[in-house]
Amino acid sequence: MRFDSQGLAVFQRYKEADHVLPVTMSEIATLKQRSDLLRQRIARLDRKQQHFVQGYWQQQQLMSCATHQPLRVSDPVLLASSAPNGYWAVIGKESQGRLTVQQVLSQIHGHSCLYAPKLIELAD
């Protein structure tokens, strides 16, 4: 789902068992509402100087999904107990190269890092 600068859906489809299906107007409205809520939550986190941070365990070290480098965490035991498959995601603050975990996002059940899609950039 993609929206133009006025908030109208310009690209809308989903795939189900190798079939591409259109998205209904009610589904578009639901997705837009969810994206608006997500944007508001991100703005609140930003005001509090909190960030969504995700990572994984590799050879007894916490690795950052963003940098794929070791990450110093204030409470690594907390992440070890909440990341049975090795992947973890948290809300936290970073200061002096150390992540202070404020909330473990246990509802994210992934096996790998989540990345934003690469969007087409238009020339000016």
Side-chain angles (χ1 to χ4, degrees), residues 76-93:
V77 175
L78 177 65
L79 292 180
S81 64
S82 63
N85 60 3
Y87 170 80
W88 52 267
V90 300
I91 299 294
K93 289 188 178 187

Side-chain angles (χ1 to χ4, degrees), residues 28-117:
I28 290 172
T30 300
L31 289 170
K32 184 165 184 341
Q33 181 182 26
R34 288 180 183 169
S35 67
D36 288 341
L37 288 172
L38 182 58
R39 195 169 45 243
Q40 291 169 10
R41 286 182 183 174
I42 290 169
R44 275 196 311 264
L45 288 173
D46 194 41
R47 283 192 301 271
K48 295 178 182 179
Q49 297 181 332
Q50 296 176 327
H51 304 283
F52 170 76
V53 181
Q54 56 182 337
Y56 54 94
W57 286 94
Q58 181 178 18
Q59 298 175 352
Q60 304 298 321
Q61 286 187 312
L62 290 166
M63 306 296 283
S64 165
C65 286
T67 64
H68 300 288
Q69 298 295 317
L71 184 64
R72 292 182 21 218
V73 178
S74 59
D75 190 358
V77 175
L78 177 65
L79 292 180
S81 64
S82 63
N85 60 3
Y87 170 80
W88 52 267
V90 300
I91 299 294
K93 289 188 178 187
E94 288 187 73
S95 177
Q96 299 177 352
R98 178 179 287 270
L99 172 66
T100 301
V101 175
Q102 295 173 316
Q103 179 184 1
V104 176
L105 301 174
S106 58
Q107 67 271 27
I108 296 178
H109 302 288
H111 295 283
S112 62
C113 300
L114 304 172
Y115 296 102

